[in-house]
Amino acid sequence: MKTTIELTQNNSNVPLLSKNRWSINAYLFLLPSLAALIVFVFIPFFQTLERSLYLTDNMGKNALFIGLENYILLFKDPSFYNSLFVTLNYVAIVVVVGVLLGFTTALLCQKSFPGVKIFSTAYALPLAIASSGMALVFGVMLNQTTGILNRLLHTNINWIADPKYAIWSVGILTGWLNSGMNFLFFSSGLAGISENLYESASIDGANQFHKLIYITIPSLMPITFFVVVTNIINAFQSFGQIKLLTQGGPGESTNVIVHDIYRNAFMNYRYGYASAESVILFFIIMIFTYFMFRARKRGL
Amino acid sequence: MDNINVLEEKKMGIKKSPYYRKKSRGIILVILNIIMICIVLFPLFYAVSMSIRPEADLYNLDVGLFPRQITLKNYMDVFRISNIGRFIKNSFIVSTVIMLAQLISTSLAAFSFQFLKFKGKGIIFALIMATMMIPGEATIISQYLMVSGWGLQNTLTALFLPYLTSAMGVFLFKQAFETFPVELYESAKIDGCSDIKFFTYILLPVSRPTIAALSVTSFLGAWNMYMWPLLITGSEKYRTVQIGIAMLNAADAQSLLLMLAGVVVCMIPSLTIFLIARKNMINGLTAGAVKS
């Protein structure tokens, strides 16, 4: 009965079903995702914005409205400037190490050779590795007395307890963790470069180095931009490896923003202050995300 | 005329270029790759190599990269001394729930966006996509106060609650569904096929690559997560693997090697999943970034 009605309706130019039926159905399908996002992303986000304007008690309740006082305090706090500086420093190390590793490994797997599949699987492997687990492994590797690094280099440096080296330790670790993802992005970029370009370059007498400088690198520019921005966003959000490897120390030399937020909120119970810091982090990341989306739109 | 001659010569040159040059280039490539793989995989190799040696060899300066004796004692001990079995079970439950919940919620939402007509579609989709811009750290304080305010601290529920859906998943499924001809959906409707039937029996079976891609990324993400479990669970009973292993981190030699054994044990599931579903994972990762 129902189908016949629908069929006859379809023959005339009216929609299959009344608009109402469609809508309710559609909203029901959306409900699980939308509800979860509203409850666990949107509401907490606006609560964070709100909390950043309050002085909070130890239970995280908004006790006293203080307007922008938290932000003013933040921008007067040398520790916050140190966090920003450390974060920028750290992000730079992560991006350089991660992008170079990813690019080099992708380049090495551009041409087919026996065993290329095994190698490319290995290069993508860091993707699947937990940052916390790897931080523990690095901790053993960098140990002053028993660690392999000092033995290989014949040095006696405490890589984690020396402010000069600690930031490099966590930076290189995160760069390594990101290298698997970068390898994949660069590989898909390399796969998109037409073989004809290389062939005609060969005919013109270009050697491998010329091809790299004049064809490969320029062709990869858009994807490189995307990879760099993605890596910056990731690096800004690092927490686990820093918490486990250096606890933000020595001193505050590896106290990146997320770690500082964690310290302020969950160790000193300054929830309002930490929320203000979160809001600033959000704006920094939003700017980079905007660039990433723009890069995507340009057709990467 | 001259130019053409030069070109001809060059082409001939390429054709005549000795075979061994190509071969030697391949050999160089393999050698470079072997050097690179040693650098990239070194931390993993080191973790395994350390975890299978007796603790006496940790301070023995004569024993280098390769263990002199191989023992599985550290692995036995890590299961005996710590609660690693329970941590693995907890992580497994939480990761599986997150994976299934994300698959169901995101595919349903993407279906609605792609096939159904309703008011405010554009705005709702933009809102969902906008959540990708909000980093987890900007909401985690509020999430923590909210979830612990409900009295859910130290429960498995609290561990998966904030991660039941993902904007990226909605995006990936919508992209996959875009390739599905709308005419087929319409004719299924005319034949009296309900939306939910169409979704379950027609649409999902053809979206297998996307399902696989999202399963892997969501499971691995959940398995490897650190900050949220650290905040919301304090008791041994609800500890996940990443937190549990980090707790083994102490100064004495024995627990150092135990900890590394624990790290290796917890990497095994992640690596297995990665190796099985590598192709799908790669497609899922690069789908958003690269136009294929």
Side-chain angles (χ1 to χ4, degrees):
Chain A
M1 186 70 211
K2 211 175 124 194
T3 36
T4 48
I5 289 173
E6 279 179 3
L7 275 175
T8 49
Q9 274 186 331
N10 206 33
N11 289 343
S12 61
N13 281 334
V14 287
L16 280 177
L17 292 160
S18 69
K19 217 173 180 159
N20 239 345
R21 250 305 285 291
W22 278 86
S23 293
I24 287 172
N25 222 347
Y27 293 130
L28 278 179
F29 278 103
L30 275 183
L31 191 67
S33 265
L34 205 56
L37 283 174
I38 286 171
V39 175
F40 291 105
V41 180
F42 277 113
I43 293 177
F45 178 64
F46 287 111
Q47 281 180 335
T48 303
L49 287 178
E50 186 194 18
R51 191 173 292 110
S52 73
L53 305 175
Y54 280 84
L55 190 65
T56 50
D57 64 11
N58 279 1
M59 300 301 293
K61 295 256 187 314
N62 296 345
L64 180 70
F65 181 81
I66 51 172
L68 294 176
E69 193 62 35
N70 281 326
Y71 293 91
I72 293 165
L73 276 176
L74 256 183
F75 282 107
K76 278 184 182 164
D77 186 357
S79 166
F80 175 66
Y81 284 105
N82 174 66
S83 273
L84 278 179
F85 175 74
V86 166
T87 308
L88 289 176
N89 206 334
Y90 167 80
V91 168
I93 297 170
V94 171
V95 170
V96 169
V97 172
V99 169
L100 276 180
L101 255 181
F103 179 72
T104 315
T105 47
L107 210 56
L108 285 172
C109 287
Q110 188 183 8
K111 286 205 174 64
S112 184
F113 60 91
V116 70
K117 269 217 157 62
I118 297 168
F119 285 107
S120 49
T121 306
Y123 296 147
L125 210 60
L127 253 187
I129 307 265
S131 52
S132 48
M134 215 59 223
L136 298 172
V137 175
F138 265 64
V140 180
M141 272 168 52
L142 303 174
N143 186 301
Q144 189 167 4
T145 43
T146 56
I148 191 80
L149 190 63
N150 275 339
R151 284 201 206 174
L152 287 176
L153 301 174
H154 299 293
T155 49
N156 187 18
I157 295 168
N158 197 336
W159 300 97
I160 292 158
D162 186 329
K164 266 205 306 287
Y165 301 110
I167 187 90
W168 283 92
S169 303
V170 284
I172 290 171
L173 160 63
T174 311
W176 182 87
L177 285 165
N178 288 349
S179 67
M181 179 185 68
N182 298 345
F183 164 80
L184 289 183
F185 285 139
F186 281 124
S187 289
S188 63
L190 285 171
I193 301 174
S194 151
E195 198 56 43
N196 297 340
L197 280 176
Y198 290 115
E199 270 173 25
S200 53
S202 297
I203 291 166
D204 290 345
N207 61 24
Q208 291 298 328
F209 178 72
H210 288 147
K211 286 182 196 170
L212 177 70
I213 297 291
Y214 295 110
I215 300 172
T216 312
I217 292 180
S219 311
L220 284 183
M221 264 312 159
I223 192 93
T224 305
F225 178 77
F226 174 82
V227 170
V228 167
V229 174
T230 311
N231 274 258
I232 289 174
I233 294 172
N234 277 350
F236 262 106
Q237 298 180 58
S238 306
F239 172 76
Q241 58 269 47
I242 289 159
K243 169 90 175 62
L244 285 171
L245 201 59
T246 64
Q247 286 88 39
E252 289 195 354
S253 62
T254 55
N255 189 23
V256 294
I257 292 190
V258 178
H259 193 272
D260 200 46
I261 291 173
Y262 169 82
R263 254 189 5 174
N264 283 323
F266 302 105
M267 289 162 113
N268 307 330
Y269 302 111
R270 298 170 71 191
Y271 292 110
Y273 189 72
S275 295
E277 224 175 340
S278 301
V279 173
I280 291 166
L281 173 71
F282 162 72
F283 279 116
I284 294 172
I285 289 178
M286 200 180 77
I287 291 164
F288 284 112
T289 313
Y290 166 77
F291 279 120
M292 190 180 76
F293 276 116
R294 240 185 47 177
R296 274 192 192 182
K297 269 220 178 77
R298 277 196 310 214
L300 288 180
Chain B
M1 194 67 219
D2 251 15
N3 269 341
I4 292 169
N5 270 341
V6 170
L7 256 179
E8 284 299 309
E9 271 177 30
K10 285 249 163 71
K11 271 188 184 157
M12 297 293 284
I14 287 165
K15 270 187 195 148
K16 275 197 273 184
S17 85
Y19 173 72
Y20 72 84
R21 244 185 80 179
K22 208 163 185 162
K23 190 144 187 180
S24 72
R25 190 170 289 159
I27 291 169
I28 289 169
L29 203 57
V30 172
I31 291 169
L32 285 175
N33 266 295
I34 288 171
I35 295 169
M36 201 66 197
I37 209 170
C38 291
I39 296 170
V40 170
L41 292 189
F42 180 78
L44 294 177
F45 166 78
Y46 182 76
V48 174
S49 149
M50 294 296 279
S51 65
I52 53 176
R53 66 183 66 190
E55 61 189 85
D57 283 0
L58 180 67
Y59 293 103
N60 187 343
L61 289 177
D62 302 334
V63 187
L65 261 180
F66 297 91
R68 203 184 297 176
Q69 294 166 283
I70 289 182
T71 166
L72 288 179
K73 186 175 166 294
N74 295 318
Y75 288 87
M76 311 278 192
D77 285 353
V78 85
F79 277 96
R80 203 167 44 83
I81 293 168
S82 81
N83 247 329
I84 195 169
R86 166 172 282 165
F87 304 154
I88 289 175
K89 198 180 110 197
N90 287 343
S91 272
F92 209 85
I93 294 169
V94 170
S95 305
T96 310
V97 170
I98 289 178
M99 179 182 85
L100 292 175
Q102 286 198 3
L103 283 178
I104 295 166
S105 65
T106 57
S107 56
L108 284 172
F111 167 77
S112 185
F113 282 126
Q114 190 53 35
F115 292 98
L116 304 181
K117 298 185 180 79
F118 56 94
K119 272 206 182 77
K121 191 185 204 168
I123 287 179
I124 295 175
F125 187 70
L127 270 182
I128 289 185
M129 290 300 108
T131 58
M132 278 202 227
M133 284 214 182
I134 302 176
E137 288 71 24
T139 55
I140 203 156
I141 296 173
S142 301
Q143 284 174 343
Y144 167 77
L145 292 171
M146 187 162 76
V147 173
S148 55
W150 295 340
L152 289 175
Q153 257 170 313
N154 282 324
T155 56
L156 282 183
T157 315
L159 285 169
F160 57 68
L161 211 48
Y163 304 103
L164 297 177
T165 191
S166 100
M168 193 66 201
V170 176
F171 178 77
L172 284 179
F173 268 116
K174 187 170 176 292
Q175 258 196 338
F177 295 166
E178 273 167 10
T179 57
F180 191 91
V182 178
E183 297 79 23
L184 278 181
Y185 166 71
E186 279 166 358
S187 56
K189 285 293 279 191
I190 290 165
D191 291 342
C193 178
S194 70
D195 276 339
I196 196 79
K197 266 198 175 136
F198 167 82
F199 171 82
T200 316
Y201 295 108
I202 301 172
L203 197 59
L204 283 191
V206 298
S207 318
R208 233 174 265 148
T210 314
I211 293 173
L214 191 68
S215 307
V216 181
T217 39
S218 62
F219 188 93
L220 281 183
W223 183 266
N224 293 343
M225 88 181 149
Y226 180 79
M227 192 171 185
W228 181 246
L230 179 76
L231 297 178
I232 206 73
T233 56
S235 75
E236 179 94 355
K237 198 177 165 193
Y238 297 107
R239 209 160 274 160
T240 57
V241 282
Q242 307 303 345
I243 312 284
I245 295 170
M247 295 272 176
L248 296 172
N249 193 4
D252 59 294
Q254 191 200 5
S255 56
L256 240 172
L257 296 183
L258 273 190
M259 179 188 81
L260 285 180
V263 169
V264 174
V265 167
C266 293
M267 275 182 191
I268 291 167
S270 333
L271 291 181
T272 312
I273 292 170
F274 169 78
L275 292 174
I276 293 170
R278 193 170 63 93
K279 264 211 143 60
N280 289 308
M281 194 172 173
I282 290 166
N283 294 342
L285 252 182
T286 49
V290 187
K291 268 194 185 157
S292 46

